[in-house]
Structures are given as structure tokens and as C-alpha cells.
Amino acid sequence: MNKEKIRNIGLAAHIDAGKTTTTERILFYTGRIHRIGEVDEGTATMDWLQQEKERGITIWSAATTCYWKEYRINIIDTPGHVDFTAEVERSLRILDGLVVIFCAVGGVEPQSETVWRQADKFDVPRIVFINKMDRIGADCFRVLKEIEKKFAVNTVLMQLPLGAEEEFKGVIDLLRGKKLIWDVDEIGERYREEEASEEEMGNWREELFLCLGELDDELAERYIEKKDIELKKVKSIIRKGVIEGRIVPVFIGSALKNKGIQCLIDAICDYLPSPLDKRGVMGKIPGKEEIIERKPSDEEPFSSVVFKIQIDKKLGKLSYTRVYSGKIKPGQKIMNSANGEIFRIQRLYLLHANRRNSLQEAAAGEIVGIVGAKRVKTGDTFCDIDNPVIYEEMLFPEPVVSIAIEPKSIRELPKLEECLAFMLEEDPTFRVKRDEETGQFVLSGMGELQLDILLDRLKRDFGLEVRSGKPQVAYRETISVSASGYHKFSKTIGDAHHFGEANLSVHPNPQKGNYIEIPVDIPDDFKEVVRESVNTILLFGPLAGYPVTDVKVEFHKLSKGSNVTPLGLGNAIQEALREALIKGDPILLEPVVKIEITVPSEFVGNVVGDLGTRNASLKKITKVSDFIQRVSAEIPLREIFGYATTLRSLTQGRGNFWMEISHFAPVPEEIKKKIMI
């Protein structure tokens, strides 16, 4: 297919902004599905996991493909809950464009901000859809101002609402000066057009063209002189502005009421980039520092990035991958350059949620599923065997909540180990370790909901009953003062003598993570020994065995003579680092979360009072609308377990909240004593 007509896009938003509902309508109007499913009824196409159907939220990013006019649109529907932010992150890595959806009542909500920053990180062009224009309190102009203020972007309002709240019936297309009214049928397949008067458009059409005139002098001149302006030319100017990140077009509608979706699909095709608009992807030749470029061409050597792993009972590992260059076919041998595995492509699939269609070929610009790789993880690079390349790996945040589990029967232990291994491959933010003292498995994740769903999957998907404890905070350790350590290792083991000597110091590195300063004169084959030795010790702190963070390790002397061995040097570094950490007056850290609670105004007092009992630091109370306020605070993670139930009680079920890890702070002395017992 012509690559200019391909769109690889994602839909992202805060939870409950209507993202999956919007995707469902896109699939319906493009003919991909023949019946509209609803999130609340558990019938949405993209929410196919049982856990998604019951909770009415998206948990896993899901891929699908649909066709509109002469365009092929590959869509990734991403989660809106903060526990699954990594799902959004790994999807954005491979997308060409993004539709960010905002609620016309809630406006710019916290997870919307997170998504926007993630899109900035990967330089993804985007358009905005303000949804739920039919809701009481809907105000697209207020949301527009919020977007401009919070993100410092140049928004371009492309449409005006016709009617408000329950009376919302359509939009005015400012570009064409037309009214689009959805009153022909209930499912919104058809709409009628009328001419819009100057009075109805006010100054908004003029503002639109003045804004676009800043992108193109000729357009500005023709508009001022009231000359005819070709619609195709204007759209090309808008598209160029979107791809360059100079403007963000804004569209409005109501997905639930089936209004405005066709305009959004047109905008995806007209303004978001194709694979050809994306610059060549830069990578390295494995084992070398040489940078090479792969262009989005079928003639280039094959390369792709795996952004998701799904374990299928029949197929095994299904690797969701974005093809950046070249072509592939079933039966072809390719390489995973991250680990050197060479494998044959057993099957190639076009993806549609939990269903898939076999493909005979996939080319640059496509998003497909590959079966065949045995050793693969999220972020790995697949490539041509004779032309290897490796792209930048994906990094994910460390988990902050843990829970201990064990099988109800010792006979089920091997099965539990196998199932946890499967889940580890699917979710890069999930961690498992075995407690040697108790024999229990400690599962760690980004939040209570993520761990709850993992336990539910063990029971439903794998038929395993497990005993579990209460969620626990994943603490960290750090040092409060600089300190040094020295150790000389000299020992004969078997027939070989091992020697190594290390003199190092450690320094506090507040809220910047760990940093290892490796001497430049160390031979390359010893640099990995240095990194592994340091990271091994930093996994278990001197206070209570929690991971060490925010520490800078500086080496003053490392032996490098001919008598030095990797084992000897590694042992010397580890003992020297242990000594330095103990001398560094170690302290215990706990995660502090930033929480934002959206509630009806009459319940603000209840919420603020409850936060006071949880050692929270109140930051601000913001008026969202005449009926809704948002309470912002910081609170220790240990105080927030089970908060969803409490909030329902405090607000008669009408409040909701969002939280994310803000930083790590020293644990109060009374809490520290309990942990250290």
C-alpha cells in the first residue's frame, strides 16, 4: 500500500475521558465492526480482557487496523489509569501521531498531562479531541484555555459547538464554513450540512486563518485580500504545522452520542503524519558505537522494534512490532539484535484486539504481530541477519508496591513459577523475587490495581489459587553523607589466584538516581565487571536490604595489572562499596505520591478532613466547573492503600482520584522502627 496513506496513531487520555468509546465509534464508522460496543456494558471491542470488561477500564494497549476512504489507519488504544502508564509509554515509542482526548467537563486532568509529556518525550505530533460535549457543565472553550496554559502550545480550534450539553447536536466546521448536524439517525452514520452564517462563526473563523497565516505568508495575504483559498492548500499547511509541532488542531464532539467522529477520522488522515513523514530511525551496529540510519523504505534492510509481548496459549509468544524499514515474510529468518537470537518467522499477523488475520508480507510503516522469537522482551530490535542494527532500549520506572503470595498447594509451585514467568514477559513494570526465608514470591508493581489484576489473572487465566498478603510499600535506601571504602582481594581458588584492589567513595545524589563514574583508563573488558559489581551491591542496602537509590559512586583506584582477574576485581569493588555505604550514614526512604481528587463541591470538606488524618500535605484546591473541584496533595504511599473505597464513602460514590509517584522522602522515625523490627 502507498505509505503516504498509512497512519500509525494512538488514542490516549485520562481515565474515563471516553478514549475507548471514541475508538469504538471509529471502528464502526470505518466498517471495521458492525455493531457499536459500549465500555459500561463490557462489549467494547478493544477492552477484550475479562478484567477490562468488569472494571470498564483499559488495562492493556490493544492494536487494530481500519480503513477510511483511501487510508489505512493502524490504531493503538492505550490505558488511562496511572498504574498502566508504561503501556502508554511503550506505545508512544512506535507511533507516528497521537489523538489526545479531553473531557469537556473535566478538562486537563492529571493523566492527560502525563500522556502529553510522554508525547513530548518522543516528539509525537498530535491533535486534540474534546469529548463529552453533551454532558452538563461541558465547555470546550475553557478546556482550550487549559490546554494552552498547561502545555504552552499553539492550539487551533477547528470547530464550534452547535448547542450545549443535552442540546448539543453538531459542530460548525470553521475551515469550510459549514454546519454539520447529527440528527438524521441515532447511530450517527449520516449527518446533514448547512451553510454557517458569519454571525454563527463570530471571530473564530478569522482567528483560525490568522493563526494559519503565521505558518504561510501567501495564505495570510490571500485571506486579507479576500481571495479564493484552495481547501487542499490550507489542509497541507495545517498538516505541515502539526508535523513540525507548531500547532495543535482541536476538534469537538460526543463519542457516546455518536457526534463528531467522522470529522475526527478525516482529521487523522488529513493532518497526522505518515511513516514517510517520520525521519529515519537512528540505531547502532551491535557491539559498536557506530550510528546508522534506517529509512522508512521497503528497499532498506529489515528492522523493527517490539513494543509489546503477548503470551497466547496456542501460538506462544506474539511480538507486537513496528516495522521501520524493509520487508518480511513468514518463513524468513531474522535476528533479535538485543540478544543475538536468530529465528524463523512462523506466522505474521494483522492485529485486531484479541483477533488477528494472517499476512503474507509486512513492509516498512506497518504494525504487525510476529510469532517465532523465543527470547524476546519489550524494546528489543528485530533486524536483517546480514545488516544488524539495534535501536535504543525502552526504560521503565521501578515498582513501588509489593505483595507476597504463595500457592495453596505445594504441588502447584512449578505451575505458579511458570505463570509468573509468562506475566513478567508481558509486563515490563512487573517484578518477581523469591523470599529465601519464607519461600514466598514477592510481586512488585506500579500500584494496587495492577497487582490486583495480576492476582485475578493467575486465578482466571491460569486456574491458580494463591494466598496473598496485604500490599506493602517498596522502600528504598540512600546515604546522607559522603564516605569512602577500600578493599584488596587476594585469594587462590582451585588452581587460579584471583586479585583485585578498589578504592572508591560514595556521595548523596538526591532525586537523580544512581550514577557510576567509571575511570576512562579501565580496559573495556573490565568495565562491565565494574557495573555489575556496583549494581549487585546497590540492590540490597545496608539498613534493611532495600534497593539503594540516589547515590553517586566514584572510583579513585582500581587495580589493572596483568595479575588482576574479573573475580578478584569484582569482589574488591563489592567489599569496598559495602564499607562505604555503611559509613555513609544510610537512611530509609519511602515513596510519596502526588494525588489529585476530583469531587463535587459539597464533598470537598470531607475529603480535605480525611487527608489531614493521613499525614497529607495539601497543595491546592482548584475549581474545575460550577459543580466540580479538584483537591491536590502529597501523601506517603503507605497512607493511601484502600483509598478508593474510602473516597466512595466520603463522596457518595461521586468522587474519583488519580495518583503518581512524586519522589522518595525519609521515613519518619516511628515508622522506621516498625520496619526495622
Side-chain angles (χ1 to χ4, degrees):
M1 184 177 183
N2 183 353
K3 288 179 177 40
E4 291 183 357
K5 302 297 184 181
I6 294 177
R7 299 291 180 267
N8 293 315
I9 64 118
L11 279 81
H14 187 88
I15 192 169
D16 202 35
K19 170 177 45 57
T20 301
T21 302
T22 302
T23 306
E24 193 74 10
R25 269 59 182 179
I26 291 174
L27 296 179
F28 178 73
Y29 296 130
T30 57
R32 189 66 179 84
I33 58 176
H34 303 290
R35 177 183 175 275
I36 297 176
E38 302 294 354
V39 173
D40 293 343
E41 297 172 3
T43 56
T45 305
M46 304 301 276
D47 285 350
W48 57 271
L49 277 180
Q50 192 60 37
Q51 292 84 354
E52 293 176 316
K53 293 176 182 292
E54 292 177 354
R55 290 170 171 81
I57 61 171
T58 302
I59 295 169
W60 275 8
S61 55
T64 189
T65 298
C66 58
Y67 297 87
W68 182 250
K69 299 174 181 176
E70 70 269 33
Y71 291 87
R72 170 177 166 180
I73 307 174
N74 299 318
I75 300 174
I76 306 289
D77 180 32
T78 63
H81 196 283
V82 69
D83 280 16
F84 308 103
T85 298
E87 284 285 313
V88 185
E89 181 101 2
R90 60 181 176 176
S91 298
L92 283 173
R93 162 71 185 276
I94 56 89
L95 292 174
D96 297 329
L98 184 68
V99 179
V100 186
I101 300 175
F102 295 91
C103 172
V105 180
V108 180
E109 297 173 283
Q111 185 64 9
S112 311
E113 293 187 56
T114 303
V115 168
W116 198 278
R117 306 299 178 201
Q118 288 172 316
D120 284 342
K121 174 182 174 181
F122 294 108
D123 196 23
V124 181
R126 69 215 74 159
I127 61 177
V128 162
F129 181 61
I130 299 177
N131 190 29
K132 302 193 176 185
M133 286 297 297
D134 60 300
R135 292 270 300 275
I136 295 174
D139 187 344
C140 63
F141 304 107
R142 172 177 54 80
V143 179
L144 192 71
K145 289 178 182 177
E146 278 190 64
I147 294 170
E148 292 174 341
K149 181 180 178 182
K150 292 200 174 184
F151 305 131
V153 293
N154 186 17
T155 60
V156 181
L157 188 62
M158 304 293 292
Q159 299 171 331
L160 294 179
L162 281 173
E165 301 176 347
E166 291 184 357
E167 301 300 317
F168 176 70
K169 60 181 180 179
V171 299
I172 297 176
D173 181 345
L174 292 171
L175 203 59
R176 297 190 300 131
K178 300 281 188 179
K179 292 192 289 186
L180 313 181
I181 303 167
W182 277 265
D183 61 359
V184 180
D185 56 57
E186 288 187 4
I187 57 175
E189 280 193 282
R190 293 177 294 158
Y191 56 88
R192 56 189 176 90
E193 290 190 5
E194 296 178 1
E195 291 294 328
S197 67
E198 294 292 333
E199 184 180 355
E200 288 173 312
M201 290 187 287
N203 295 325
W204 287 102
R205 179 175 164 84
E206 183 177 350
E207 283 193 27
L208 168 63
F209 277 93
L210 289 176
C211 180
L212 297 180
E214 294 178 8
L215 304 178
D216 187 274
D217 292 338
E218 183 186 346
L219 176 66
E221 187 178 318
R222 293 188 71 85
Y223 182 76
I224 291 170
E225 295 175 0
K226 296 186 177 180
K227 293 181 179 179
D228 289 339
I229 301 173
E230 187 182 359
L231 184 61
K232 186 178 180 181
K233 171 69 173 175
V234 179
K235 286 186 176 182
S236 69
I237 292 169
I238 296 173
R239 187 167 189 270
K240 186 171 183 289
V242 171
I243 293 171
E244 293 175 352
R246 298 175 65 185
I247 59 170
V248 178
V250 178
F251 300 84
I252 62 177
S254 169
L256 188 64
K257 299 296 184 181
N258 309 316
K259 295 177 174 65
I261 303 301
Q262 291 95 331
C263 301
L264 178 62
I265 306 172
D266 283 336
I268 289 169
C269 299
D270 289 339
Y271 306 130
L272 288 180
S274 74
L276 295 178
D277 295 307
K278 191 177 180 70
R279 297 185 298 273
V281 185
M282 310 306 293
K284 291 182 180 180
I285 296 177
K288 300 180 182 180
E289 293 301 310
E290 182 182 345
I291 303 294
I292 58 174
E293 181 183 11
R294 288 283 187 264
K295 296 177 181 177
S297 166
D298 295 353
E299 307 308 315
E300 290 266 308
F302 165 72
S303 69
S304 73
V305 167
V306 176
F307 66 96
K308 182 180 174 67
I309 307 292
Q310 183 180 329
I311 306 298
D312 187 279
K313 292 178 182 178
K314 294 180 180 179
L315 297 176
K317 291 180 187 175
L318 178 64
S319 302
Y320 287 53
T321 187
R322 159 70 189 266
V323 181
Y324 282 113
S325 62
K327 290 182 177 181
I328 46 171
K329 295 180 179 180
Q332 181 177 336
K333 281 188 176 181
I334 59 174
M335 175 193 288
N336 181 345
S337 58
N339 56 33
E341 179 193 9
I342 295 175
F343 65 94
R344 190 182 300 276
I345 299 173
Q346 296 173 4
R347 293 182 181 86
L348 195 60
Y349 289 112
L350 185 65
L351 305 164
H352 179 53
N354 63 329
R355 300 191 296 277
R356 39 199 167 261
N357 299 323
S358 294
L359 288 174
Q360 295 307 309
E361 183 179 80
E366 297 189 43
I367 294 174
V368 296
I370 291 177
V371 176
K374 290 183 171 61
R375 295 185 292 121
V376 59
K377 66 181 189 305
T378 299
D380 283 358
T381 303
F382 289 164
C383 63
D384 182 73
I385 298 172
D386 298 324
N387 298 276
V389 64
I390 186 165
Y391 296 125
E392 185 180 0
E393 65 177 340
M394 297 184 190
L395 300 177
F396 300 101
E398 289 296 312
V400 293
V401 180
S402 300
I403 192 170
I405 69 167
E406 61 185 15
K408 287 190 174 180
S409 167
I410 193 67
R411 293 192 303 272
E412 292 185 325
L413 182 60
K415 186 178 180 182
L416 177 59
E417 290 177 327
E418 182 184 4
C419 295
L420 291 176
F422 283 157
M423 294 163 76
L424 272 170
E425 292 186 90
E426 291 182 330
D427 189 346
T429 64
F430 175 46
R431 303 283 190 278
V432 178
K433 69 177 181 180
R434 189 80 179 268
D435 189 315
E436 297 301 330
E437 292 183 8
T438 64
Q440 294 177 318
F441 292 94
V442 179
L443 314 187
S444 301
M446 302 308 299
E448 279 186 278
L449 178 61
Q450 183 189 17
L451 293 180
D452 182 45
I453 286 168
L454 288 170
L455 292 178
D456 193 46
R457 288 195 63 207
L458 281 175
K459 182 178 179 180
R460 292 196 191 187
D461 298 355
F462 302 104
L464 271 173
E465 294 283 350
V466 297
R467 285 189 286 264
S468 61
K470 293 181 179 179
Q472 302 291 323
V473 172
Y475 293 97
R476 299 284 191 273
E477 297 182 25
T478 193
I479 57 172
S480 53
V481 297
S482 297
S484 60
Y486 169 80
H487 189 80
K488 179 189 287 186
F489 183 89
S490 181
K491 190 173 183 179
T492 300
I493 302 175
D495 296 331
H497 184 75
H498 297 277
F499 176 80
E501 188 178 9
N503 185 4
L504 55 83
S505 60
V506 292
H507 310 277
N509 195 32
Q511 297 187 31
K512 293 181 181 178
N514 294 326
Y515 178 73
I516 309 170
E517 195 172 273
I518 301 175
V520 293
D521 58 346
I522 292 294
D524 288 342
D525 53 345
F526 278 109
K527 286 181 179 179
E528 192 58 36
V529 173
V530 174
R531 287 193 193 90
E532 287 185 4
S533 302
V534 170
N535 289 329
T536 296
I537 297 304
L538 294 182
L539 280 175
F540 303 97
L543 267 181
Y546 291 106
V548 177
T549 189
D550 298 340
V551 169
K552 179 182 178 182
V553 181
E554 183 180 359
F555 288 93
H556 304 294
K557 180 182 180 182
L558 281 175
S559 54
K560 49 182 185 259
S562 59
N563 61 335
V564 177
T565 63
L567 178 63
L569 184 61
N571 275 281
I573 291 171
Q574 290 187 16
E575 292 303 320
L577 184 53
R578 279 196 188 97
E579 178 186 330
L581 291 174
I582 292 170
K583 288 181 181 177
D585 195 9
I587 57 176
L588 202 60
L589 301 175
E590 67 175 346
V592 175
V593 300
K594 179 171 68 175
I595 186 170
E596 297 207 4
I597 308 156
T598 304
V599 294
S601 300
E602 63 264 34
F603 299 115
V604 169
N606 295 355
V607 169
V608 171
D610 178 72
L611 289 175
T613 67
R614 297 171 182 266
N615 301 312
S617 172
L618 187 66
K619 296 300 180 183
K620 63 180 178 180
I621 300 174
T622 308
K623 181 181 177 183
V624 177
S625 68
D626 292 339
F627 316 102
I628 303 292
Q629 295 192 52
R630 188 174 294 144
V631 179
S632 303
E634 288 185 352
I635 183 170
L637 180 61
R638 59 184 156 81
E639 296 280 6
I640 210 70
F641 289 136
Y643 187 66
T645 302
T646 302
L647 184 63
R648 280 196 295 270
S649 175
L650 291 171
T651 63
Q652 296 179 9
R654 296 163 64 192
N656 61 72
F657 76 100
W658 168 94
M659 69 178 187
E660 73 171 353
I661 298 299
S662 171
H663 61 279
F664 282 83
V667 174
E669 197 61 36
E670 65 272 16
I671 302 297
K672 179 181 173 182
K673 289 177 181 177
K674 294 179 183 178
I675 297 169
M676 299 293 289
I677 292 176

